[in-house]
Structure formats: C-alpha cells, structure tokens
C-alpha cells in the first residue's frame, strides 16, 4: 500500500524536497479544533478508541483528510457542548484549522467541513456519575 504524501514545491531551496503525510494534517486539524471553546470532543472510529484505551492520545481522531487533484479537503466529526451556537462554533473551528494549517505547513485547505455528530449534555454526565457512585 502506497502512502500518499503532499509535496511542498513553493519553498524549494535546492537542499531537497519536503513532504507532509496526511496524518500530520489530521493531527494539526484535530488539535486546532479541540482548542475552540464549545467543542466537547472529537468522534473517532473503532481504531482510534482502541488506541486511546491502550493509553495513547489520538490527536487525529475524528478528522479525515483527502488529498486530491482538487486540493486539501478536511472533514471533521465533533460533538458540541449543549447551549453553544453551533454555526458560530463551527465557523471558529473552520477558521482555527485554516490558520493552523497555514502557519504550520504553509498549505491552504480548500475545504474544511465540520460535521456535528452529537451534543454533550452536562446534566446527563453528572447523572451518570451519580449512578456509578451507588
């Protein structure tokens, strides 16, 4: 299986080439999204849950990066906190990811799609903790 890499041509200095793996973009996007107030957590698949149970933090969880001829497409799957303005928080997530990618890699994302897959209710979390104490 061949790994798709993103080659950076703009800053070629004659010393060699610089390539960035899509997983690096996933980690940058995941951390940038997690920094936004109102995002409860990112939703990952089965594999990311297994990795976290083994004690390793998976910063790319809930992020899918697609590198195609059309550019960089980032899909983010997150759970928002109850009571926040979803459009406002989603816009902040998009802006934060675009800025982080530009600052760290000098790459611009063509699309940053935010998929809100759930809402975290604080009361339900507290009720669950009370049930475990009994």
């Amino acid at each position: 299986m061949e790994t798709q890499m993103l080659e950076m041509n703009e800053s070629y200095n004659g010393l060699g080439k610089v390539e960035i793996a899509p997983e690096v973009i996933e980690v940058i996007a995941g951390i940038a999204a997690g920094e936004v107030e109102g995002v409860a957590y990112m939703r990952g698949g089965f594999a990311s849950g297994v990795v976290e149970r083994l004690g390793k933090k998976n910063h790319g969880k809930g992020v899918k990066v697609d590198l195609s001829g059309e550019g960089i497409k980032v899909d983010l799957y997150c759970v928002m906190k109850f009571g926040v303005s979803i459009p406002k928080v989603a816009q902040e997530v998009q802006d934060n990811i675009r800025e982080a990618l530009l600052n760290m890699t000098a790459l611009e994302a063509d699309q940053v799609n935010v998929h809100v897959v759930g809402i975290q209710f604080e009361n339900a979390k507290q009720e669950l903790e009370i049930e475990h104490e009994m």
Side-chain angles (χ1 to χ4, degrees):
M1 184 169 100
E2 185 178 319
T3 304
Q4 186 178 13
M5 300 288 276
L6 189 64
E7 189 171 330
M8 298 176 59
N9 293 328
E10 298 154 5
S11 60
Y12 184 76
N13 59 10
L15 297 175
K17 63 182 176 179
V18 175
E19 293 180 332
I20 299 175
E23 293 82 11
V24 173
I25 296 171
E26 289 174 2
V27 169
I28 292 169
I31 292 171
E35 291 174 347
V36 176
E37 184 65 33
V39 175
Y41 58 90
M42 309 300 290
R43 179 179 157 215
F46 175 74
S48 65
V50 170
V51 168
E52 286 192 349
R53 280 189 213 102
L54 294 174
K56 295 181 180 178
K57 185 81 171 153
N58 185 0
H59 292 292
K61 174 174 85 168
V63 182
K64 181 180 175 241
V65 172
D66 182 26
L67 305 175
S68 65
E70 300 167 8
I72 302 170
K73 178 183 169 188
V74 178
D75 284 291
L76 182 88
Y77 300 87
C78 63
V79 174
M80 299 280 186
K81 293 179 182 175
F82 179 76
V84 301
S85 169
I86 292 175
K88 182 180 175 199
V89 173
Q91 179 69 50
E92 289 177 27
V93 167
Q94 289 173 320
D95 293 342
N96 210 33
I97 289 173
R98 285 182 194 274
E99 185 178 325
L101 283 176
L102 192 59
N103 289 341
M104 294 185 72
T105 66
L107 299 170
E108 287 199 45
D110 294 297
Q111 291 183 30
V112 177
N113 302 309
V114 177
H115 306 273
V116 179
V117 295
I119 299 290
Q120 181 187 48
F121 296 93
E122 289 300 321
N123 292 340
K125 186 177 178 184
Q126 290 170 351
E127 288 172 14
L128 186 63
E129 289 174 4
I130 293 170
E131 286 178 18
H132 287 322
E133 289 176 5
M134 294 181 173

